[in-house]
């Protein structure tokens, strides 16, 4: 990480990622803005079985939205779906098991989804951080495959579905970590430099912020 990026990360971190940053941001938060109902709106949330994705899916469900969870692992995904249904009282929670590091599986999912469902909002939340360089069966570095290529394929594949609806949205969750890495378009799969999972993740997020 360069000196410049270290300074930017430190300055932004002090300003925005600390308690004082939270308190400052709260001044512009209007709780009433969240008091909405969204029945009839359909949302797809990747990585919806934990963390930000699960919290997002739950709040959407509480407000009457239909939620499609796209997750990698069946058991925790089923548990999350059940929990969201119980807490929200909303039965319109659907689960799709998809490995977002596998382009062929993403395309298959997209083709099936287009035939069976409508969609108003795509939320690209899922991400991974593999700390040892691993390749998928297609020869893709796993972090790049899931965090960058998979997001691109899913988004472009679903745009025709989104365009059929009123006020469609695509939301891609990024990370402050992107500030520590300049996008290296000559080494997107981390073949030419010593592998550091954290820095690779940061570059993936930088790439998504530019797309």
């Amino acid at each position: 990480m360069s000196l410049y990026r270290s300074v930017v990360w430190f300055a932004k971190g002090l300003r925005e990622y600390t308690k004082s940053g939270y308190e400052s941001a709260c001044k512009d938060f209007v709780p009433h803005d969240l008091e909405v109902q969204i029945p009839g709106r359909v949302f797809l949330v990747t990585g919806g079985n934990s963390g930000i994705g699960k919290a997002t899916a739950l709040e959407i469900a509480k407000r009457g939205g239909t939620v499609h969870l796209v997750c990698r692992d069946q058991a925790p995904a089923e548990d999350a779906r059940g929990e969201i249904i119980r807490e929200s009282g909303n039965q319109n929670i659907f689960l799709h098991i998809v490995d977002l590091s596998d382009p062929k599986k993403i395309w298959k999912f997209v083709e099936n989804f287009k035939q069976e469902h409508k969609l108003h909002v795509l939320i690209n939340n899922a991400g991974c951080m593999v700390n040892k360089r691993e390749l998928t069966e297609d020869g893709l570095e796993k972090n790049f495959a899931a965090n960058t290529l998979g997001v691109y394929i899913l988004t472009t594949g679903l745009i025709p579905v989104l365009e059929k609806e009123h006020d469609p949205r695509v939301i891609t969750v990024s990370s402050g970590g992107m500030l520590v890495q300049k996008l290296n378009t000559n080494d997107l799969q981390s073949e030419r430099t010593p592998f550091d999972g954290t820095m690779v993740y940061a570059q993936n997020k930088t790439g998504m912020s530019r797309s």
Side-chain angles (χ1 to χ4, degrees):
M1 182 165 52
S2 69
L3 176 61
Y4 168 75
R5 290 189 176 276
S6 297
V7 171
V8 170
W9 170 250
F10 183 73
K12 188 174 178 65
L14 284 179
R15 188 174 68 251
E16 297 182 9
Y17 303 152
T18 59
K19 181 181 179 180
S20 61
Y22 170 77
E23 291 173 345
S24 176
C26 281
K27 296 176 182 177
D28 296 322
F29 179 68
V30 182
H32 180 70
D33 289 346
L34 297 180
E35 296 176 10
V36 297
Q37 293 299 312
I38 46 177
R41 295 279 285 179
V42 181
F43 299 74
L44 188 153
V45 184
T46 66
N49 62 289
S50 63
I52 294 173
K54 182 180 177 183
T56 300
L58 176 59
E59 293 304 316
I60 291 169
K62 286 180 177 179
R63 289 160 175 77
T66 296
V67 182
H68 292 270
L69 303 172
V70 172
C71 306
R72 182 184 60 189
D73 299 318
Q74 184 87 38
E78 290 282 6
D79 290 343
R81 176 178 179 269
E83 186 177 334
I84 291 169
I85 290 174
R86 287 193 301 274
E87 291 193 23
S88 68
N90 186 341
Q91 296 293 320
N92 294 318
I93 312 299
F94 304 95
L95 178 60
H96 311 272
I97 302 302
V98 185
D99 183 351
L100 293 176
S101 69
D102 188 327
K104 294 188 293 294
K105 291 180 180 177
I106 299 172
W107 280 120
K108 182 177 180 180
F109 163 72
V110 166
E111 289 305 311
N112 290 335
F113 191 91
K114 288 194 295 186
Q115 299 300 319
E116 301 174 5
H117 305 286
K118 63 180 182 179
L119 183 64
H120 295 89
V121 182
L122 167 62
I123 302 176
N124 289 309
N125 164 76
C128 71
M129 186 190 297
V130 180
N131 289 310
K132 180 180 179 182
R133 192 171 193 275
E134 297 179 17
L135 301 182
T136 68
E137 65 177 23
D138 294 312
L140 300 167
E141 192 277 314
K142 187 162 286 188
N143 292 290
F144 169 78
N147 298 333
T148 303
L149 183 61
V151 174
Y152 176 79
I153 293 173
L154 182 66
T155 302
T156 55
L158 289 175
I159 283 176
V161 187
L162 289 159
E163 288 179 332
K164 293 179 181 178
E165 307 301 331
H166 172 68
D167 194 24
R169 307 288 180 90
V170 175
I171 300 169
T172 300
V173 178
S174 189
S175 166
M178 71 180 184
L179 298 173
V180 305
Q181 280 288 293
K182 180 179 180 180
L183 182 62
N184 182 358
T185 57
N186 294 316
D187 192 23
L188 292 175
Q189 297 202 60
S190 309
E191 300 171 290
R192 304 177 183 178
T193 55
F195 192 87
D196 181 325
T198 302
M199 292 299 103
V200 169
Y201 176 83
Q203 180 162 195
N204 294 159
K205 290 299 183 178
T206 301
M208 291 316 302
S209 71
R210 304 289 179 83
S211 61

